[in-house]
Amino acid sequence: MDRRTFLNASLAGATAALLPRFALAAPQGEYFELTAAKGSQRLFGEDGELSELWLYNGRLPGPEIRVKRGERVKVRFINKLDTPTSVHWHGIRIDNAMDGVAGLTQAAVAPGDSFDYDFVVPDTGTYWYHAHNMSWNQVPRGLAGPLIVEDDTPAFDPDCDITMMLSDWRLDEDGRLDTNSFGARHDFSHAGRLGNWLTVNGNSLPDIRLKKGHWHRLRLINSSASRILDLAPARFGARLIGLDGQLFDAQRSIDDLVQLSPAQRMDLVMKPEASGTIPFEMMTGQAFTFANFIVEDANPSSADLKLPPKNALPEPDMENALQLPLDMAGGAMGGMRALMRTRSEDDLRQMMSKGLFWTLNDTAGMPERPMFTAKRGQTVVLDSLNETGFPHAMHIHGHHFRVLERSGKQLEHQDWRDTFTSDPQERVKIAFVADNPGKWLIHCHMLGHAASGMMTWFEVT
């Protein structure tokens, strides 16, 4: 294939297999070592050159951590990079001191130093971990891995419980990671760092082997820096059973597209009834295959689908809620116009000269004072309005929330999420119980947007 044109085409056949599962099972009372260091791997299969990456334990993605609900995770994080970093455990309702947000809950771990993470996982589900210091630079170099909290009684055979970490990479014409464009102001002020190639568990166009006649659980994790993935579960015979680690009462058949934004997770079930190949596609624009399900003959299974029990999350008290706005403004494509209601042109120029292009509630960048303070157990309702020209994936640390309304319309399914997507000019209303004490971040998970202004925090006392 011509190296000058390969990024606009798809490969004719699948290459690498899925990354094997690695559980971090440390002896009781001891820490498992998770090390961040430089490494290399081919992202465009055997046709691409080696990319310089930053990896956890030398793997892409990082080792899959699998624990049971209520178990203690003890990880000794060692930084062998030449830059400070930290680890955030995304989606877990974690003790605040272990949240891994450099500058808010801990100091970044300096090169050569270590930090002990020690926390209990209260909820089952599909989660992940990733770097949280200059994450716009560190996550898209490879610093991310899956964190799976297993059900008390497994509902699927181990080989039918499949994690798929979906990553978007910006490669040069030789298939190497483009490191020269990190921190580009055009990316920060527009849609973020968008790549031109997709991998599953670090592999280019892998085969994902399924067993004919068996129920499978697919755990999809979007670890991309900015890429929103549009997926069509019905095209490969799958049904939706949960989002962001939280399961539904029943499976849902989805005829339309399902949007999986950066940091979001999607749990699917499928039971292939015929042997053969089923493409796994991204549906943004023209359908693009970035993996293939290979259905193999297997001994028949008589087991019916039985979903695991849901997590017990505190229900919002809407009558006594703290009602707050969360207004997003700024960015290119006319997004700065909303800021001109409260800021002068000189003020805007000074803001942009510092690399700040976005605001939350008219504040650009991390404020010294919290956006709000809530008493423990108090319900918080955030009424968000996206006055920018781009979508945003807004993540709230330490909590899950119900998505109540979109554009003034109450939703049929008010699902639990930890990250919600807001399209341009869209209003989204969410509600959660602030039951986890500490200082918690709110930010856009288009990571360049957070770095260039779209970040704030709140406190639960």
Side-chain angles (χ1 to χ4, degrees):
M1 179 173 288
D2 184 352
R3 292 185 186 274
R4 300 283 176 179
T5 60
F6 80 87
L7 292 177
N8 295 320
S10 61
L11 289 177
T15 52
L18 273 182
L19 187 74
R21 177 176 300 164
F22 293 90
L24 301 191
Q28 186 174 7
E30 297 184 16
Y31 284 87
F32 184 91
E33 291 188 354
L34 184 69
T35 301
K38 293 182 179 180
S40 62
Q41 182 169 318
R42 287 182 172 86
L43 297 173
F44 190 72
E46 295 305 314
D47 288 331
E49 300 294 335
L50 285 170
S51 291
E52 296 179 1
L53 303 174
W54 296 356
L55 304 173
Y56 290 124
N57 288 15
R59 302 187 181 280
L60 182 69
E64 180 176 287
I65 301 175
R66 277 196 174 242
V67 293
K68 293 282 189 181
R69 182 211 314 261
E71 286 188 340
R72 182 173 295 277
V73 175
K74 301 186 72 172
V75 172
R76 176 157 293 148
F77 172 63
I78 302 169
N79 182 13
K80 291 188 177 181
L81 298 169
D82 55 8
T83 187
T85 186
S86 63
V87 183
H88 170 55
W89 311 91
H90 187 111
I92 298 292
R93 296 189 297 154
I94 200 169
D95 178 70
N96 187 241
M98 298 290 107
D99 198 40
V101 180
L104 184 67
T105 66
Q106 70 170 91
V109 182
D113 284 351
S114 66
F115 185 89
D116 289 345
Y117 292 98
D118 184 350
F119 57 90
V120 174
V121 288
D123 305 315
T124 62
T126 303
Y127 307 99
W128 65 303
Y129 61 94
H130 62 82
H132 215 294
N133 183 62
M134 297 181 69
S135 54
W136 57 270
N137 179 48
Q138 298 188 6
V139 174
R141 290 180 188 264
L143 289 179
L147 172 58
I148 307 301
V149 184
E150 295 180 328
D151 304 301
D152 299 331
T153 303
F156 299 84
D157 294 336
D159 58 350
C160 294
D161 188 334
I162 300 170
T163 302
M164 298 170 61
M165 205 149 189
L166 315 178
S167 303
D168 170 55
W169 306 93
R170 183 178 295 181
L171 307 182
D172 65 18
E173 62 185 20
D174 292 320
R176 295 190 192 92
L177 180 67
D178 176 9
T179 58
N180 292 327
S181 61
F182 280 112
R185 290 197 169 196
H186 181 277
D187 291 344
F188 280 13
S189 61
H190 287 72
R193 181 181 173 87
L194 299 177
N196 48 16
W197 193 246
L198 293 164
T199 62
V200 179
N201 288 350
N203 293 314
S204 176
L205 289 167
D207 290 340
I208 303 167
R209 303 197 177 275
L210 306 180
K211 294 159 62 174
K212 176 183 172 182
H214 288 248
W215 282 106
H216 296 74
R217 179 175 182 169
L218 307 178
R219 302 175 182 265
L220 310 186
I221 304 170
N222 186 353
S223 63
S224 304
S226 299
R227 173 75 65 186
I228 297 174
L229 301 176
D230 292 325
L231 304 172
R235 285 174 68 96
F236 52 94
R239 296 178 180 180
L240 188 64
I241 62 167
L243 296 166
D244 286 0
Q246 308 307 316
L247 294 183
F248 305 151
D249 289 318
Q251 58 182 308
R252 296 180 195 166
S253 297
I254 307 293
D255 295 327
D256 298 325
L257 298 181
V258 180
Q259 197 174 64
L260 191 66
S261 291
Q264 292 183 331
R265 286 89 63 216
M266 178 190 303
D267 280 65
L268 302 169
V269 292
M270 63 183 296
K271 184 180 182 182
E273 300 291 357
S275 302
T277 299
I278 305 172
F280 179 60
E281 303 161 308
M282 185 178 76
M283 302 302 296
T284 303
Q286 184 177 359
F288 173 77
T289 299
F290 62 106
N292 284 293
F293 296 112
I294 307 299
V295 183
E296 300 175 329
D297 289 331
N299 292 327
S301 171
S302 59
D304 294 328
L305 175 64
K306 184 178 180 181
L307 297 184
K310 299 189 303 179
N311 294 315
L313 301 179
E315 287 290 348
D317 176 9
M318 299 302 293
E319 292 185 1
N320 299 292
L322 177 63
Q323 306 270 350
L324 296 165
L326 182 64
D327 293 335
M328 312 168 203
M333 307 301 290
M336 288 291 180
R337 285 196 294 268
L339 295 179
M340 296 183 70
R341 295 195 297 263
T342 57
R343 294 171 180 264
S344 67
E345 290 188 16
D346 286 344
D347 188 22
L348 289 177
R349 279 194 291 268
Q350 185 177 17
M351 184 180 107
M352 290 186 287
S353 71
K354 299 176 182 177
L356 298 173
F357 304 101
W358 310 91
T359 65
L360 292 176
N361 289 350
D362 202 35
T363 299
M366 193 72 164
E368 293 184 6
R369 297 178 61 83
M371 173 186 159
F372 64 90
T373 298
K375 294 182 179 179
R376 187 174 185 179
Q378 186 173 20
T379 292
V380 178
V381 174
L382 296 182
D383 190 355
S384 74
L385 175 62
N386 181 357
E387 294 190 281
T388 82
F390 298 93
H392 300 285
M394 302 303 299
H395 174 46
I396 297 181
H397 284 223
H399 299 78
H400 276 77
F401 51 81
R402 285 202 183 276
V403 183
L404 306 178
E405 298 178 7
R406 287 188 176 274
S407 300
K409 295 182 179 179
Q410 186 169 314
L411 299 182
E412 176 185 1
H413 299 293
Q414 297 183 344
D415 295 321
W416 290 107
R417 304 299 300 251
D418 59 49
T419 306
F420 72 92
T421 308
S422 177
D423 289 328
Q425 307 308 313
E426 185 179 31
R427 187 180 292 276
V428 181
K429 183 179 287 189
I430 67 170
F432 65 96
V433 178
D435 64 338
N436 201 349
K439 299 176 180 180
W440 299 105
L441 207 61
I442 301 176
H443 67 98
C444 178
H445 227 283
M446 279 72 171
L447 298 174
H449 291 175
S452 55
M454 221 170 231
M455 182 181 298
T456 188
W457 63 286
F458 67 99
E459 189 169 19
V460 180
T461 59

